[in-house]
Coordinates of all heavy atoms in Angstrom, one line a residue:
N1126 N -14.1 26.0 -4.2 CA -13.3 25.1 -3.4 C -13.4 23.7 -3.8 O -14.5 23.2 -4.0 CB -13.6 25.2 -1.9 CG -13.4 26.7 -1.4 OD1 -12.3 27.1 -1.2 ND2 -14.5 27.4 -1.3
H1175 N -20.0 21.5 3.7 CA -21.3 22.2 4.0 C -21.9 22.7 2.7 O -21.4 22.5 1.6 CB -21.1 23.4 5.0 CG -20.2 24.5 4.4 ND1 -18.9 24.4 4.2 CD2 -20.5 25.8 4.0 CE1 -18.4 25.5 3.7 NE2 -19.4 26.4 3.6
D1179 N -20.0 27.8 -2.9 CA -18.6 27.8 -3.2 C -18.0 26.4 -2.7 O -16.8 26.2 -2.9 CB -17.8 29.0 -2.6 CG -17.9 29.1 -1.1 OD1 -19.0 28.8 -0.5 OD2 -16.9 29.4 -0.4
H1180 N -18.8 25.5 -2.2 CA -18.4 24.2 -1.8 C -19.2 23.0 -2.5 O -18.6 21.9 -2.6 CB -18.5 24.0 -0.3 CG -17.5 25.0 0.4 ND1 -16.3 24.6 0.9 CD2 -17.6 26.3 0.6 CE1 -15.7 25.7 1.4 NE2 -16.5 26.7 1.3
D1267 N -15.3 25.6 6.1 CA -15.5 27.0 6.6 C -16.0 26.9 8.0 O -16.8 26.0 8.4 CB -16.6 27.7 5.8 CG -16.2 27.9 4.3 OD1 -15.0 27.6 4.0 OD2 -17.0 28.5 3.6
H1472 N -16.5 33.2 9.1 CA -15.2 32.7 9.1 C -14.4 33.1 10.3 O -14.5 34.2 10.8 CB -14.4 33.1 7.8 CG -15.1 32.6 6.6 ND1 -14.9 31.4 6.0 CD2 -16.1 33.3 5.8 CE1 -15.7 31.3 4.9 NE2 -16.4 32.4 4.8
H1494 N -8.6 28.1 1.1 CA -9.8 29.0 1.2 C -9.4 30.5 1.4 O -9.6 31.0 2.4 CB -10.8 28.5 2.3 CG -12.2 29.0 2.0 ND1 -12.6 30.3 2.1 CD2 -13.3 28.3 1.7 CE1 -13.9 30.4 1.9 NE2 -14.3 29.2 1.6
Ligands
ZN2718 ZN1 -16.5 28.9 1.6

Side-chain angles (χ1 to χ4, degrees):
N1126 297 284
H1175 65 289
D1179 62 322
H1180 296 259
D1267 295 358
H1472 302 272
H1494 203 290

